């Protein structure tokens, strides 16, 4: 079994955001760092969110501050309780704790409304009767200033009356908005009298039918930050142009404090689709088995695949935090994962695509319990017994009837080592008379090589893994590859369909794998290195005692595979 430590121990490297926070503490601007992670509960968290979680919670933790978990649930239409629960589970799993600092933007609806009333009283907001699409049309563009709304100069009293009736449900959806009165010719489009409130007669997952006006993100976000006393409001680069509006909202009314918005570059990963909208589409169209499909870049999918939270946190530390957009290699994530799994995973033997071996000179009915090392670099993980007898399974690809050059594994008249067991030599094959496929490999063994040790200094060029045919347990093994065939997800053209770029071989199911008997009781979620095959994890949903299902988390750096690739296949 593997263990998870509850809190991240690794120190994060310095970055420009940490520099700002430290300077603010040093200058006395803030006595304590308060950050927040503000997911919208409209999907499951993905590895991109992990970057933000590690940054926000990490920054607070390193400075004795706090990080709030705030659900940004201001849009009633797309949000669901299922998502709220999954988000809390995933943040905890990653190893972070919001303590008693759990908030919902919807808890601020009354306060946000009151602040809007205050903006109206100060002449900084007005009710606009233009339909939403006309508001958009009149905004102008980069070359053309916007057009002022004919309702821009309504009196305070009229605005207060109309806004009150909007709240009371007097108007249909989309017929009126509350807008900030800023500057229709601002070079920053976000400052052209942005909409603060819209009418939406929709039930909200927490406030029910109490409200039919809902605040926009750009309005609710800075105020939620201010209500909570956030010191550093960290968000991704797309919001850089929104920062003047963020500051305007806080300055235009009686905000209790002035959080500082700081932007950083979002995580993009090769071969990885990362927007929640796209991930939802994959789920809804049945292109994956669910949000936790092990191919998904969601934290729940990665957990099911066998990722450890430590590996994800270490990856976030490795990529760092910068201000320039970039594309990280999924290979780097996998490399970080291997480092972590290598340390924690006990070894086991599993034959994924078996072929039978019969050892002709091994006594029928005899069974030996041989010692196998659980971890070559960590003796504290001990040893286990693996049963050995006359009939075994090895990987079909570890045998070639006509071995190509540089193929050093089993072949006619050739001797190899069976890991922890004996030297065996191939003395013949049995083939299917119709297809010519090798169905059985006949071998002899050298009893003097017990434990896999050479009796006389003679060498073999390969060591292969095996399981006892009589004792092995049948298992289903699932091999995964990238979901997206395309390396750069941003290369999908605007309006293009990501489905055209999905990897058709992202899942390969091997129903007939044979695993060593000790794995019969592998607990759901437990991780192993299957020698020579990679890191595997017992599937949390489908694995059952006696009928295990293993997900391959990641391959090993496999020299055999490289040699295979370089050699065109010959023979059987
Ligand atoms: P998506 O674009 O996948 O739909 P989102 O930004 O709409 O994500 P939110 O729930 O609003 O999702 O995100 C919560 C927080 O996570 C935000 O502060 C956001 O900036 C951050 N975040 C989202 N995606 C990434 C990413 N790829 N890299 C870093 N941070 C991210
Ligand atoms: Mg968002």
């Amino acid at each position: 079994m593997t263990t998870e430590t509850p809190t991240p121990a690794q120190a994060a490297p310095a970055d420009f955001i940490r520099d700002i926070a430290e300077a603010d503490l040093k200058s006395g601007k803030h006595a304590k760092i308060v950050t927040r992670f503000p997911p919208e509960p409209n999907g499951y968290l993905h590895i991109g969110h992990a970057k933000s979680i590690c940054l926000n919670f990490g920054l607070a933790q390193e400075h004795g501050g706090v990080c709030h978990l705030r659900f940004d649930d201001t849009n009633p239409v797309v949000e669901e309780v299922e998502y709220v629960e999954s988000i809390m589970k995933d943040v905890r799993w990653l190893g972070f704790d919001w303590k008693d600092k759990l908030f919902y933007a919807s808890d601020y609806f009354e306060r946000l409304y009151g602040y809007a009333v205050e903006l109206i009283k100060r002449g900084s907001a007005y009710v606009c009767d233009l339909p939403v699409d006309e508001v958009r049309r009149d905004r102008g563009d980069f070359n053309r200033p916007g057009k002022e709304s004919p309702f821009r100069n309504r009196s305070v009293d009229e605005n207060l009356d109309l806004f009150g009736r909007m709240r009371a449900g007097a108007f249909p959806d989309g017929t009126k908005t509350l807008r900030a009165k800023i500057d229709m010719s601002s070079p920053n489009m976000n400052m052209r009298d942005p909409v603060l409130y819209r009418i939406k007669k929709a039930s909200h997952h927490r406030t029910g039918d109490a409200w039919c006006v809902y605040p926009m993100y750009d309005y609710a976000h800075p105020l939620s930050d201010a209500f909570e006393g956030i010191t550093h409001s960290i968000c991704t680069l797309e919001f850089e142009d929104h920062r003047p509006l963020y500051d305007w909202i806080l300055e235009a009314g009686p905000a209790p404090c002035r959080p500082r918005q700081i932007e950083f570059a979002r995580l993009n990963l090769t071969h990885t689709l990362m927007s929640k909208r796209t991930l939802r589409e994959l789920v809804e169209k049945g292109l994956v088995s669910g949000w936790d499909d092990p191919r998904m870049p969601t934290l729940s999918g990665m957990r099911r695949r066998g990722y450890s939270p430590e590996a994800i946190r270490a990856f976030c530390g490795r990529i760092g935090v910068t201000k320039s957009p970039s594309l990280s290699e999924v290979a780097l994530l996998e490399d970080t994962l291997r480092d972590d799994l290598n340390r924690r995973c006990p070894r086991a033997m599993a034959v994924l695509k078996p072929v039978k071996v019969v050892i002709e000179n091994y006594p029928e009915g005899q069974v030996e319990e041989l010692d196998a090392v659980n971890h070559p670099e960590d003796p504290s993980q001990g040893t286990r017994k693996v049963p050995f007898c006359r009939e075994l399974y090895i990987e079909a690809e570890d045998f070639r009837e006509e071995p190509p050059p540089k193929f050093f594994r089993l072949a006619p008249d050739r001797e190899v080592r069976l890991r922890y067991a004996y030297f065996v030599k191939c003395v013949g094959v049995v083939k299917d008379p119709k297809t010519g496929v090798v169905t059985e490999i006949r071998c002899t063994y050298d009893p003097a090589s017990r434990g896999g040790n050479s009796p006389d200094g003679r060498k073999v060029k390969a060591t292969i893994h095996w399981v006892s045919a009589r004792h092995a347990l049948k298992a289903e093994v699932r091999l995964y590859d990238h979901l997206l065939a395309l390396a750069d997800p941003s290369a999908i053209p605007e309006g293009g369909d990501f489905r055209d770029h999905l990897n058709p071989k992202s899942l390969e199911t091997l129903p007939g794998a044979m695993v060593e008997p000790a794995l019969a009781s592998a607990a759901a979620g437990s991780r192993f290195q299957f020698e020579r095959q990679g890191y595997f994890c017992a599937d949390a949903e489908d694995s059952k005692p006696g009928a295990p299902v293993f997900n391959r988390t990641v391959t090993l750096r496999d020299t055999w595979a490289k040699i295979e690739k370089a050699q065109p296949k010959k023979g059987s």
Side-chain angles (χ1 to χ4, degrees):
M1 260 306 288
T2 53
T3 50
E4 251 97 55
T5 46
T7 40
Q10 69 267 15
D15 57 61
F16 76 100
I17 297 181
R18 290 180 160 87
D19 290 348
I20 292 171
E22 266 148 45
D24 288 347
L25 287 172
K26 206 175 266 170
S27 72
K29 181 177 178 193
H30 299 296
K32 188 175 170 183
I33 302 292
V34 186
T35 56
R36 86 286 171 268
F37 174 62
E40 187 179 355
N42 62 350
Y44 282 59
L45 296 181
H46 52 60
I47 177 80
H49 293 114
K51 179 175 180 180
S52 174
I53 294 169
C54 289
L55 175 57
N56 279 294
F57 280 91
L59 184 69
Q61 209 165 50
E62 291 152 28
H63 297 93
V66 287
C67 179
H68 299 183
L69 175 62
R70 182 199 312 141
F71 287 103
D72 172 24
D73 58 351
T74 53
N75 182 356
V77 183
V78 294
E79 293 155 6
E80 284 177 34
V81 180
E82 176 197 350
Y83 298 136
V84 168
E85 283 164 3
S86 76
I87 289 168
M88 293 202 274
K89 180 175 175 185
D90 289 348
V91 173
R92 278 201 199 97
W93 176 74
L94 253 194
F96 296 103
D97 182 2
W98 53 89
K99 310 237 163 65
D100 60 342
K101 303 296 182 192
L102 173 64
F103 301 99
Y104 293 84
S106 57
D107 286 346
Y108 307 135
F109 280 169
E110 192 63 52
R111 219 172 152 187
L112 291 166
Y113 181 86
Y115 194 93
V117 167
E118 189 57 34
L119 292 184
I120 293 173
K121 287 184 183 162
R122 296 184 186 196
S124 296
Y126 61 96
V127 173
C128 177
D129 296 359
L130 292 177
V132 173
D133 54 334
E134 282 181 38
V135 171
R136 202 172 301 130
R137 188 196 60 198
D138 287 353
R139 270 179 64 186
D141 54 37
F142 288 109
N143 308 311
R144 204 164 40 94
K147 203 167 113 194
E148 290 195 352
S149 163
F151 307 99
R152 198 171 196 261
N153 295 312
R154 275 179 162 147
S155 70
V156 168
D157 286 343
E158 191 184 0
N159 280 319
L160 287 174
D161 173 58
L162 287 170
F163 192 45
R165 282 157 62 199
M166 278 169 67
R167 173 183 183 163
F171 309 112
D173 284 13
T175 55
K176 282 186 170 41
T177 55
L178 182 75
R179 296 176 68 181
K181 196 170 181 176
I182 310 180
D183 178 3
M184 287 307 287
S185 56
S186 168
N188 185 331
M189 300 285 289
N190 295 304
M191 300 297 272
R192 294 184 185 175
D193 289 11
V195 172
L196 306 180
Y197 269 90
R198 69 240 197 261
I199 303 172
K200 212 174 234 179
K201 291 189 170 138
S203 257
H204 184 278
H205 75 109
R206 296 191 82 240
T207 57
D209 295 323
W211 293 89
C212 63
V213 288
Y214 289 97
M216 303 299 289
Y217 175 87
D218 278 341
Y219 174 72
H221 202 80
L223 289 173
S224 304
D225 284 346
F227 296 161
E228 292 175 19
I230 301 298
T231 54
H232 301 84
S233 176
I234 302 166
C235 63
T236 44
L237 280 179
E238 321 84 88
F239 291 99
E240 195 163 24
D241 288 346
H242 297 238
R243 193 185 337 131
L245 177 56
Y246 183 100
D247 292 336
W248 185 94
I249 300 278
L250 296 176
E251 275 153 30
C257 66
R258 296 271 187 288
R260 172 173 176 188
Q261 175 178 308
I262 308 170
E263 308 85 18
F264 72 104
R266 65 167 47 232
L267 172 67
N268 299 301
L269 263 187
T270 55
H271 296 290
T272 307
L273 292 164
M274 197 106 78
S275 99
K276 271 189 279 187
R277 192 181 50 79
T278 310
L279 299 181
R280 191 176 320 114
E281 214 174 312
L282 285 168
V283 173
E284 284 169 0
K285 297 219 159 91
L287 297 164
V288 292
S289 66
W291 284 98
D292 68 346
D293 186 301
R295 293 167 293 178
M296 290 281 269
T298 51
L299 296 181
S300 52
M302 294 170 80
R303 173 167 62 236
R304 188 168 168 192
R305 173 93 166 245
Y307 274 78
S308 63
E310 289 85 350
I312 295 176
R313 294 198 306 259
F315 171 70
C316 291
R318 268 177 98 168
I319 54 172
V321 177
T322 67
K323 195 114 189 158
S324 46
S326 65
L327 178 65
S328 299
E329 291 285 339
V330 73
L332 181 70
L333 173 64
E334 290 174 349
D335 196 59
T336 312
L337 176 64
R338 282 188 194 97
D339 278 353
D340 179 72
L341 295 179
N342 179 40
R343 254 176 285 124
R344 68 173 68 236
C345 291
R347 274 45 175 172
M349 291 198 285
V351 177
L352 306 190
K353 295 177 185 170
V355 63
K356 187 171 258 186
V357 170
V358 177
I359 301 174
E360 294 182 343
N361 59 339
Y362 196 87
E364 300 244 18
Q366 177 174 310
V367 179
E368 282 177 273
E369 294 285 335
L370 300 172
D371 288 316
V373 171
N374 287 334
H375 197 294
E377 290 138 46
D378 179 8
S380 76
Q381 294 196 27
T383 59
R384 67 188 185 285
K385 298 285 185 194
V386 283
F388 184 90
C389 63
R390 184 179 151 91
E391 298 197 352
L392 312 169
Y393 289 114
I394 64 165
E395 296 289 350
E397 65 173 30
D398 281 340
F399 175 80
R400 290 289 179 80
E401 200 179 3
E402 292 169 49
K406 293 192 183 159
F407 181 93
F408 300 120
R409 290 167 277 167
L410 199 59
D413 293 322
R414 190 180 289 171
E415 190 170 50
V416 298
R417 175 189 292 108
L418 294 179
R419 184 94 159 126
Y420 307 119
Y422 290 102
F423 283 14
V424 293
K425 185 174 182 175
C426 172
V427 294
V429 293
V430 178
K431 291 188 194 179
D432 182 312
K434 283 203 197 97
T435 61
V437 170
V438 173
T439 55
E440 195 175 291
I441 301 164
R442 311 291 294 189
C443 287
T444 55
Y445 86 118
D446 179 353
S449 62
R450 195 171 195 271
N453 301 311
S454 178
D456 52 10
R458 88 179 177 270
K459 291 210 161 60
V460 289
K461 283 195 172 155
T463 300
I464 64 177
H465 62 279
W466 53 275
V467 292
S468 155
R470 190 169 351 139
H471 303 88
L473 182 73
K474 195 163 173 178
E476 180 175 311
V477 166
R478 298 170 184 168
L479 306 180
Y480 300 102
D481 197 355
H482 304 132
L483 200 48
L484 191 66
L486 205 61
D488 181 358
S490 71
I492 300 173
E494 196 75 39
D497 193 339
F498 69 87
R499 283 176 293 178
D500 298 338
H501 303 282
L502 293 180
N503 175 6
K505 294 190 182 131
S506 59
L507 168 63
E508 184 186 0
T509 302
L510 308 175
M514 291 293 188
V515 302
E516 66 175 81
L519 295 178
S521 55
S526 55
R527 307 183 183 96
F528 303 90
Q529 185 199 94
F530 289 171
E531 298 210 15
R532 301 176 60 228
Q533 296 292 6
Y535 296 96
F536 290 75
C537 166
D539 188 79
E541 296 296 321
D542 301 332
S543 198
K544 299 281 174 292
V549 177
F550 291 101
N551 297 318
R552 180 155 68 191
T553 312
V554 67
T555 56
L556 301 172
R557 284 177 210 85
D558 191 17
T559 46
W560 284 282
K562 268 188 222 139
I563 292 167
E564 293 280 283
K565 225 177 245 167
Q567 294 293 329
K569 285 201 177 182
K570 265 199 275 171
S572 57

